[in-house]
Each structure stands twice: as structure tokens, then as C-alpha cells.
Amino acid sequence: MPRPATSLPPRRSPRPMPRTPATDPLAVLNALPDPVLVVDGGGDIRFVNLEAQEFFDLGASAMEGTPLEALLPPDSPVMGLVEQVRRGSRSVSQDGVDIDTPRIGPHRVSVQVAAMGDGTDAVVVTLRENAIARKIANTLTHRHAARSVTAMAAMLAHEVKNPLSGIRGAAQLLEENASEQDRVLTRLICDEADRIVALVNRMEVFSDKRPLERGPVNIHTVLEHVRKVAQSGFARSIRFVERYDPSLPPVWGNRDQLVQVFLNLIKNAAEAAPETGGEIVLSTAYQHGVRMALPGGDKRVHLPLLVSVQDNGDGIPEDLRGHLFDAFVTTKVNGTGLGLALVAKIIGDHGGVIEFDSQPRRTVFKVSLPMYDQSQDAGESGGFNGGGRLRG
Ligand SMILES: Nc1ncnc2c1ncn2[C@@H]1O[C@H](COP(=O)(O)OP(=O)(O)O)[C@@H](O)[C@H]1O
Ligand SMILES: [Mg+2]
């Protein structure tokens, strides 16, 4: 059977039109950013574009001639869509289809199936990896990251902090009768013990399980406050650009924790920005229609408030991107790698989403947050967390 993709029938008159240069339909299909597969009446794959080979991690020769079913999880809704088109629908589509196989791992895609319309039973299957689905996958990983820090923080508080105070007390006792020379050593024990306690204390916020106290928060006053703190300290030489949507409704959140989030993000931005000509752009916007269904509930959250922090530094190193929000991931000599882990935890507790986009001279962290509305006060005692708080 000839490759349908390369043998498209001429549309109108067979008389050759003067076309220069000729466009190769195969090149067009291979340039598409979405996987495209052609499946024949018997269910076998007849054609795959480059992106489909990339997606399924298989070459064209391995895919063409094999049944579509073999590539998909058992009972995949994709087969049902193909059936529907065979029974006469011209084109059908479905969002939020999970394709999870040991070979390619979990993906959530929108699937579109259309009849080839060339007199055969062939259909064209197009998959589109959904940006929002990817966001959710990211958030869940980040929450997972925060959870593992939580367990570790609880362990540290118990197994490290208590014995340390014993060690410190013993060193202080020794100090009383120690010679001047030995006192240097007992001081060293105390100082190092204090340093470790300080680190453990910093971790303790992760194991804080109290419910999030939240109410309406004006995000612009939060950003204003954080900018002032930054400009009087670590970001003294940085130029700030503010692009605010003044009509933005309040965030449903916890003010102190949101201050912490944007302080951490702006600190990272300031540390990444070049020494001269460093610039940080803070912006807020209302994004219509962004609704996310998070697994573990059939509720859809609306996250219309977008707050972003952008810097003009070198960008996030490629090898860091997959686990940027994990604890202890740092490239800084005196870094703790706890900044973004805490950001991820707080955003997660708010039911929000954080993503980043990074290239040299332009790295941006985008935080999507829920909006406050009066009904949130009604159902819950004192505006505490409740229905809108989602856990993965
Ligand atoms: N805006 C940014 N530009 C470039 N790299 C960044 C940026 N923000 C974070 N990073 C990278 O992520 C790492 C982790 O950040 P973070 O969790 O705040 O820990 P720390 O700042 O202590 O290193 C940083 O060490 C840095 O390599
Ligand atoms: Mg940091």
C-alpha cells in the first residue's frame, strides 16, 4: 500500500499548477509538533510522522505494519475513537486521555481521530500533549518532592535535634574546667551544634501540618513589600520592572506564606541576574478559563491569577530542570537548595501550580493561584482551608 501521506490526490484540476518550490507533504507532516499516525481498516499502522516516532520511542520501521493496539495500554479509549470514525463519524476527539506504558511512561493527551476520506477505511490519529496536563504532572512531582522533605524534616527534628542539645550541654560542662587550649575545641563543638540546629529549624517548616489559614490577599501589596525588602538588601543593584494588572481580584491565600514564596523567587532571580544590568520583571495577570482537574478528586480548580517573576540571568542549567523543586538541589556555594522546595510546598498547600520557562537572558517562574470569593468564607470556619485545598 502506498504511503497515504505522500500520495495525496490532487485537489482540483489535474493540470499542473506552476508551483515553485514544490512542497513535500511528508516534510510538512514531519514538521508538525504533534504525533500523527495513519491506521488502516485492519487496525495496522501505515504511517507515522517523526513526532510519533519520538513520542512512542520507536522507529518508523518498527511501528509501520504493527497493530495500533500494540502501542497503547489495554482498553485505551483511542481504540474506541477509531471505531467511532469507522462507523461513520467524520472526526472525533477526546481530551485527557492517559497513555501510560512501561516504554514511554505516563502521558496525558488530547486525541483526535479523523477519516482519511480517500475511499479507504484508513483513519488519521493525532495526539496532542496537553500543556495543562503537563502542568499537573509537574505539580504532583513537586508535591511529592515536598512530601519527602516533610518526612525528613520530622525525622531530623527528632533524631538529630534532641541528641544535639545533649552534646552541646556536655561540651558546655567540659568548658567550665577546660584549659584555654581545650576551650577552643569545646567552643567549636557548640558552634557546630548550633549551626546544625539552625539548619534543622529551617527544615521544620516542611513538617508543619497545621491547616493553612487563608483569606483574601492583595498580591500587589505582597509583591510591593517583597520588592522593598529585596531592594534594601540582596537586590540593591537590580532594576525592577512592574507590570501589574491593577484590577486583579484578591488571591485566596495566606499572606505570610505568599511573602515567603515571592521572597524566595526574587532572591533566586537576583542571584541569577548579571552584576551589571540585572533586571527583574514582576507581573500579574488574570488568565481566563484556566481550570485544572487534579487527580484524587473530580473537582476542577480555577486558577485565574498568574504572578510571574522573570530575570535576565544565564538560565537554569539543563541538568537541574527535572528536579529543580527537590530539596537540597543547589548550584550555589552557600546554597541550601531549600528555597524552591519550600515554594513548591506552599503553592501546593494553596492548591496552586508553579512552572518555569528558562532560556539565557529570560527565566520566568509562573505561579497560578486561586481567587478569593465570598462563598469561601461561608462554608468554612473563618476562611480556613477546605474544599479548595487539593492534595495529590
Ligand atoms: N532564576 C533562576 N535562574 C537560574 N537558576 C535558578 C533560578 N532559580 C533557581 N535556580 C537554580 O535552582 C537552584 C535551587 O534553588 P533554591 O531551591 O532556591 O536553592 P538555593 O538558592 O539555596 O540554591 C539554584 O541553586 C539555582 O541553580
Ligand atoms: Mg534560593
Side-chain angles (χ1 to χ4, degrees), residues 264 268 271 332 339:
N264 288 7
N268 281 345
E271 285 164 352
K332 297 169 194 167

Side-chain angles (χ1 to χ4, degrees), residues 273-307:
E275 240 158 69
T276 52
E279 185 179 277
I280 295 177
V281 183
L282 303 177
S283 46
T284 61
Y286 190 90
Q287 39 184 4
H288 287 278
V290 176
R291 276 179 189 279
M292 311 209 189
L294 295 180
D298 46 11
K299 236 183 132 106
R300 279 175 170 253
V301 267
H302 191 196
L303 300 174
L305 309 183
L306 180 69
V307 187

Side-chain angles (χ1 to χ4, degrees), residues 268-269 271-272 311 315-317 320 324 329-332 335-341 363 365:
N268 281 345
E271 285 164 352
D311 67 70
I316 293 161
L320 229 57
L324 196 66
V329 169
T330 182
T331 53
K332 297 169 194 167
T336 59
L338 290 176
L340 289 179
T363 295
F365 281 81

